Amino acid sequence: MKRNKPAGACVSTRFATFTVPLLILAVTATAHAQAAPDPASFAPCVAGLKAAAVARGVSPEGYERLTASLVPDMKVLDLLDYQPEFRTPIWDYLAGLVDDERVADGQAMLAQWGDTLAAVAARFHVDPATVVAVWGVESNFGRNFGSRPLLTSLSTLSCYGRRQAYFRGEFYDALKIVDSGDVSAEQLTGSWAGAFGHTQFMPSTFLRLAVDFDGDGRRDLVGSVPDALASTANFLRKAGWREGEVWGYEVRLPDGFDASGAGRRNKQSLAAWSVRGVKRVDGTPLDGAGNAGLLLPAGPKGPAFLVFRNFDAIYGYNAAESYALAIAHLSDRLRGGGPFVTPWPTDDAGLSRAERRELQTLLIARGHAIGTVDGMLGDASRAAIRIEQQRLGQPVDGRGGQKLLSALRREGGAGQPLQQDGLDAPTQGR
Ligand code: CA
């Protein structure tokens, strides 16, 4: 999922909402018909922000030192306004985020950091599997922090584009983090929008909630796994996490169920759901503490879930129900749980990251210049997928699913030559 989109705690620039039948992971950007930004105005703009930064707590010397060599990165403005044409179905989103590989990696992390996680749970009252699931989704267990220098991105977004007031606040907070010595400017890299470190906190979230758990005097969400795990738990606790309670579980709806009244926020008592015929997916009665909302990520014909208050705490980390479901489900898988019982309403299931890498390898073998095999199906991969779908007589939608992968596997090797019917369209670079 990384890294051409924002991520991280309380990043208000990443939106995802459920629609039926597709999940839109699109940033609903406003059309921007502004004049091209003028790089010459950058230095005066940054100079003009000094007073506000100092008022916010950045030292005057620190401001001068940390901004002296900044140059704008205009590419982040394109990312700010990026509108993906491709709508990612929920089953694709989850297939990539909660796959066997991430479950195995997460279980290895639970073992490796067991003592730390036990201490975190004792202090913050959030269980290890949930904390590790957030870590796995946010940065793939510390493997992917994002590589954009935060001060560059945030200063650019502070001076250009459509959300300058918001990004100025994050810019000042990022300066404070470096100025205080918690994280060095060199280590402060992340997503284009400013999320960084193991937990992909935004700078403002860092200042509110980051914790020095290893006791070295620095809150270091880049270099310290204990600090990162404790900070994640602290976030969830402050978001209302209740120890010992479940996030929710999959349920089975009776035939002819009236799905009006569904929705995470529309919480009702378990007695009310029981009266309407809702049972746990294994047929047992509903249980759990408090009221629950009915989540139907793909409509009434797909998997259904009752979600409790702890689901809302996860949602607070990143306001998207798809995201919260990925973390919740990964945490269950880390505890030994299985995949969802009810299939998604599709005859062409999504691909794990291993399968995406295999698909990319098969595309490259057919001559498509899609860049490196990274398991992320970006624009270049999708362009190649369209060409192969057309050649194979499949619906041409640019989506990499099991049907295309199976067809290419059956062909094996390099498959059919590309040079036919003028279909060898140039693929884009990443
Ligand atoms: Ca520390």
Side-chain angles (χ1 to χ4, degrees):
M1 64 181 291
K2 308 302 177 190
R3 188 72 347 191
N4 63 352
K5 66 192 182 65
C10 295
V11 180
S12 57
T13 46
R14 174 158 52 162
F15 299 109
T17 51
F18 285 130
T19 58
V20 178
L22 291 180
L23 169 78
I24 303 176
L25 290 170
V27 174
T28 50
T30 55
H32 74 134
Q34 305 150 353
D38 175 12
S41 65
F42 182 71
C45 171
V46 170
L49 298 177
K50 179 177 177 180
V54 170
R56 188 114 160 191
V58 181
S59 71
E61 314 76 54
Y63 192 86
E64 294 297 335
R65 177 170 48 84
L66 294 171
T67 61
S69 59
L70 286 179
V71 291
D73 175 8
M74 296 304 185
K75 290 194 198 75
V76 299
L77 300 174
D78 296 334
L79 295 167
L80 177 68
D81 287 332
Y82 179 63
Q83 284 182 288
E85 292 176 9
F86 186 81
R87 294 178 166 193
T88 302
I90 180 79
W91 43 89
D92 283 350
Y93 178 75
L94 288 172
L97 278 179
V98 188
D99 57 14
D100 291 345
E101 194 177 351
R102 206 176 309 265
V103 173
D105 287 346
Q107 286 171 336
M109 293 300 168
L110 281 170
Q112 180 180 346
W113 296 97
D115 292 346
T116 298
L117 288 160
V120 165
R123 179 162 154 197
F124 297 102
H125 309 286
V126 182
D127 66 285
T130 300
V131 172
V132 167
V134 173
W135 189 20
V137 168
E138 284 297 334
S139 69
N140 196 19
F141 312 105
R143 294 191 185 96
N144 199 338
F145 290 166
S147 58
R148 292 181 180 274
L150 244 63
L151 296 182
T152 297
S153 299
L154 291 174
S155 59
T156 305
L157 293 163
S158 293
C159 291
Y160 306 99
R162 57 189 169 79
R163 300 191 61 204
Q164 294 176 29
Y166 166 75
F167 285 113
R168 284 178 186 184
E170 297 297 336
F171 178 48
Y172 305 151
D173 287 349
L175 289 166
K176 280 177 73 172
I177 291 167
V178 178
D179 202 24
S180 68
D182 278 322
V183 182
S184 71
E186 294 70 38
Q187 281 195 305
L188 200 61
T189 66
S191 75
W192 66 265
F196 70 99
H198 286 277
T199 54
Q200 295 287 290
F201 274 14
M202 290 297 287
S204 59
T205 309
F206 177 103
L207 290 180
R208 272 193 304 123
L209 296 167
V211 173
D212 171 26
F213 199 68
D214 61 14
D216 71 348
R218 295 165 55 226
R219 300 186 291 172
D220 183 0
L221 300 189
V222 177
S224 169
V225 170
D227 286 8
L229 297 177
S231 298
T232 293
N234 189 38
F235 185 102
L236 291 170
R237 183 184 64 149
K238 292 281 170 52
W241 186 269
R242 290 184 178 175
E243 186 175 28
E245 297 183 7
V246 297
W247 63 266
Y249 42 73
E250 190 179 352
V251 295
R252 183 195 300 167
L253 307 177
D255 289 341
F257 182 81
D258 173 10
S260 64
R264 177 179 61 87
R265 291 189 192 83
N266 189 16
K267 291 190 168 51
Q268 300 178 39
S269 70
L270 296 183
W273 290 120
S274 293
V275 164
R276 296 180 63 186
V278 178
K279 292 181 165 59
R280 290 192 68 136
V281 75
D282 63 2
T284 59
L286 304 178
D287 58 355
N291 293 346
L294 177 65
L295 196 68
L296 302 173
K301 294 190 188 312
F305 308 91
L306 280 185
V307 294
F308 295 82
R309 185 188 173 101
N310 280 353
F311 188 86
D312 297 332
I314 301 172
Y315 179 90
Y317 211 96
N318 189 340
E321 289 172 349
S322 53
Y323 170 91
L325 186 61
I327 298 215
H329 184 44
L330 180 57
S331 73
D332 279 350
R333 296 288 307 273
L334 292 175
R335 297 182 191 100
F340 299 138
V341 174
T342 306
W344 294 109
T346 175
D347 62 353
D348 188 16
L351 302 178
S352 69
R353 286 171 298 161
E355 289 166 333
R356 290 175 197 192
R357 292 194 295 268
E358 181 184 357
L359 174 60
Q360 289 179 315
T361 302
L362 290 163
L363 292 171
I364 288 170
R366 282 157 179 76
H368 298 288
I370 60 169
T372 55
V373 173
D374 59 4
M376 290 185 285
L377 302 181
D379 290 345
S381 292
R382 289 197 220 290
I385 287 168
R386 283 190 198 94
I387 293 168
E388 292 299 318
Q389 286 173 325
Q390 185 158 354
R391 180 177 68 79
L392 293 163
Q394 295 189 356
V396 180
D397 60 6
R399 172 180 172 264
Q402 295 288 350
K403 284 187 174 177
L404 178 64
L405 177 60
S406 298
L408 295 180
R409 275 177 181 161
R410 280 195 296 275
E411 287 182 345
Q416 302 300 311
L418 271 173
Q419 307 289 347
Q420 54 180 7
D421 304 330
L423 291 179
D424 189 13
T427 50
Q428 304 156 21
R430 277 167 188 270

